[in-house]
Amino acid sequence: MPHTLLLAEDDRAIRQALQRALTLEGYDVTAVDDGVQALAQGHLLCPDVLVLDVMMPGIDGLQVCRVLRAEGDRTPILMLTARVETADRIAGLDAGADDYVAKPFDVEEVFARLRALLRRADHRPDGEASAGNPLVVADLRIDGRARRAWRGERELELTRTEFDLLELLARNSGIVLDHPTIYDRIWGYDFGLGSKNLAVYVGYLRRKLDTPDTPALIHTVRGVGYVLREA
């Protein structure tokens, strides 16, 4: 059975071209042109994955994400955005998106990111994250079965990608993971040497983990990657 995909994009040319390309790639695509329809069709169709434009009339893509996540909907969401500043990317992650592609985009990159999101969704909850006892590093505790994490007594509100990244680093506590390894384990492919995608996710994860009263857990090893360890 083909994966069902809901596409919400208000630019007619982009919507039609992307719908055609995704259909040829084997997806069962439903396309709409605003956020109101995206929410309605999302509730009706229960798609395997959503592709949402950020800027849409009525309800924008960020608000669609917030509503779905507030309802407990964990469907993977890929955002399409013309905004490339770090703050705009962070806004998408904070709203509940799992990944994003900046316009103008290469359709092959969209395909790759969708494959990675679907692989990760298909592998839950029976994959590595659900095995064994909760992970504990310093005052960080991660429950893979429930997909919940705490720093001390404070529960962390994490997106799917943030949780996967934090868990990967915690399972390899004290070990420096290089960029290609992290890209392969979290996204299933390499974004390329010029990508800042990983740095954005790490930065936002740090903002959720650290407070002025707690030591940093995720450390940058310049030119190599990242490591999670006690201070």
Side-chain angles (χ1 to χ4, degrees):
M1 292 288 292
H3 284 293
T4 56
L5 183 149
L6 176 60
L7 167 65
E9 165 62 65
D10 68 321
D11 186 300
R12 182 178 179 182
I14 294 176
R15 183 177 66 254
Q16 291 181 342
L18 194 51
Q19 181 178 15
R20 182 165 53 251
L22 289 165
T23 300
L24 290 173
E25 187 68 7
Y27 292 93
D28 182 0
V29 182
T30 298
V32 298
D33 61 9
D34 63 45
V36 174
Q37 293 184 71
L39 282 175
Q41 291 298 315
H43 293 144
L44 179 65
L45 300 174
C46 298
D48 296 318
V49 64
L50 287 86
V51 179
L52 302 177
D53 182 32
V54 170
M55 300 298 292
M56 292 187 292
I59 301 176
D60 65 20
L62 297 180
Q63 187 59 25
V64 171
C65 279
R66 294 188 187 101
V67 171
L68 292 175
R69 295 315 189 215
E71 294 173 345
D73 190 324
R74 305 310 302 168
T75 304
I77 296 176
L78 176 66
M79 300 295 295
L80 304 177
T81 177
R83 297 174 172 178
V84 296
E85 297 299 324
T86 298
D88 296 315
R89 298 172 183 174
I90 287 174
L93 303 179
D94 195 26
D98 296 290
D99 203 352
Y100 61 86
V101 175
K103 298 178 181 177
F105 51 79
D106 185 326
V107 71
E108 292 296 331
E109 182 180 3
V110 174
F111 294 162
R113 297 192 186 215
L114 287 172
R115 287 193 297 269
L117 287 177
L118 288 166
R119 278 197 302 271
R120 287 158 53 201
D122 289 343
H123 291 164
R124 303 296 184 187
D126 298 323
E128 183 180 81
S130 62
N133 296 321
L135 287 167
V136 178
V137 180
D139 61 345
L140 173 67
R141 181 164 57 92
I142 301 174
D143 185 338
R145 292 184 182 276
R147 292 184 67 78
R148 299 172 67 186
W150 297 262
R151 182 85 195 261
E153 298 300 317
R154 176 172 55 91
E155 183 166 4
L156 307 174
E157 296 294 328
L158 303 175
T159 67
R160 179 194 301 268
T161 299
E162 289 166 356
F163 183 90
D164 290 345
L165 177 56
L166 180 61
E167 186 188 43
L168 174 65
L169 292 170
R171 285 193 178 279
N172 294 277
S173 175
I175 300 173
V176 178
L177 298 180
D178 61 23
H179 296 120
T181 296
I182 297 174
Y183 279 127
D184 179 69
R185 295 289 298 278
I186 300 301
W187 287 278
Y189 63 98
D190 193 336
F191 282 70
L193 294 176
S195 175
K196 297 181 180 179
N197 203 67
L198 177 55
V200 169
Y201 276 91
V202 169
Y204 200 55
L205 194 53
R206 282 169 167 159
R207 287 179 57 185
K208 294 188 176 183
L209 277 171
D210 303 335
T211 70
D213 300 322
T214 57
L217 290 178
I218 300 177
H219 304 271
T220 300
V221 180
R222 293 190 179 279
V224 181
Y226 299 95
V227 58
L228 189 148
R229 62 170 178 253
E230 297 185 48

